Amino acid sequence: MQVAAPGCGLGFCVAMAKESRAVVQVFAKAPQPGEVKTRLIPVLGADNAAELHCRLVRHTLGTVAIARVGSAEIWTTPPADSAFLQVCKRLLGLPILMQPEGDIGARMSHAVRDGLSRGSSVLLLGTDVPCLDHEDLRAAHRALLDGADAVLGPAEDGGYWLIGLRRHDPALFEAIPWSTSAVLEHTRQRLRSLGWRWHELPARWDLDRPEDLMRTAADPRLASLIADLMQPA
């Protein structure tokens, strides 16, 4: 049975009851040229790769706003005072929080634990999946409301683009071979060992490699993300 998305005011939800409110955590690096979208720099150049990163962040935040499943926040890396992130904070009213030191697993574990102190569930996602749809986020939220302990959004490269949780255990994020094609399967194995029930969303693809640019350009919904960024041959 589907559960209707909770009603909210304009922008991001901030006043839902804790029993049903998700904390939506968007992991987004500060858009420093040369530090983001590095695998696309040979094609786009450092400045355009950073601009693409900014567009993907805006695109993701827009999708989160449309989904209206809870309160959103950005978890970033130094420098947190980047002009782009400050615009997000000022115009969208989003909290900007710092990721702690450690590998991506340690950083996600910290964020999830923090989010669950403020909401009934956490949806944690990155900004590399332009084909993410607001219905994906609503489906993840419904699964958690219906009793799943976790939700995974599988990525075609063997990772995951979203993890949703109603409970926290640091073991879920420890000793995972991050940045490999084995991340998703290791996470499934860890969920099994914890005895948790989980739900999986449809597989999605990341915009991370040069070949992904052509996939983006071929999608009428997404082509504008890169249309003016491709450098002349």
Side-chain angles (χ1 to χ4, degrees), residues 131-159:
C131 57
L132 168 70
D133 187 82
H134 62 276
E135 286 297 341
D136 293 323
L137 299 178
R138 290 176 179 172
H141 188 223
R142 283 195 298 268
L144 295 172
L145 287 175
D146 289 343
D149 298 303
V151 177
L152 293 174
E156 291 182 1
D157 63 5

Side-chain angles (χ1 to χ4, degrees), residues 33-109:
E35 300 294 329
V36 294
K37 290 295 170 200
T38 54
R39 284 185 280 184
L40 296 179
I41 289 175
V43 178
L44 299 180
D47 288 341
N48 280 356
E51 171 60 24
L52 175 58
H53 174 73
C54 291
R55 293 181 186 187
L56 288 170
V57 173
R58 287 194 296 266
H59 181 78
T60 302
L61 293 176
T63 301
V64 171
I66 293 170
R68 295 165 64 161
V69 297
S71 56
E73 54 196 34
I74 298 175
W75 285 74
T76 191
T77 57
D81 60 351
S82 74
F84 173 74
L85 292 176
Q86 290 306 308
V87 167
C88 292
K89 180 178 181 178
R90 185 174 68 254
L91 296 184
L92 301 177
L94 296 181
I96 307 292
L97 297 96
M98 292 300 300
Q99 298 178 29
E101 294 185 359
D103 67 14
I104 184 64
R107 287 179 274 142
M108 290 194 295
S109 181

Side-chain angles (χ1 to χ4, degrees), residues 26-28 37 39-40 52-64 124-137 152-163 201-209 212 215-216 219 221-222 225-226:
V26 179
F27 265 41
K37 290 295 170 200
R39 284 185 280 184
L40 296 179
L52 175 58
H53 174 73
C54 291
R55 293 181 186 187
L56 288 170
V57 173
R58 287 194 296 266
H59 181 78
T60 302
L61 293 176
T63 301
V64 171
L124 189 156
L125 64 155
T127 61
D128 294 334
V129 182
C131 57
L132 168 70
D133 187 82
H134 62 276
E135 286 297 341
D136 293 323
L137 299 178
L152 293 174
E156 291 182 1
D157 63 5
Y160 55 78
W161 52 267
L162 174 144
I163 185 165
L201 301 170
R204 301 296 185 202
W205 53 273
D206 296 326
L207 174 47
D208 213 25
R209 303 162 300 171
D212 299 325
R215 195 169 186 176
T216 305
D219 189 327
R221 301 167 303 169
L222 306 175
L225 286 170
I226 62 168

Side-chain angles (χ1 to χ4, degrees), residues 169-189:
D169 191 317
L172 185 60
F173 301 99
E174 293 172 349
I176 300 292
W178 302 109
S179 302
T180 73
S181 61
V183 169
L184 179 62
E185 189 52 42
H186 273 74
T187 302
R188 288 169 175 154
Q189 293 173 8

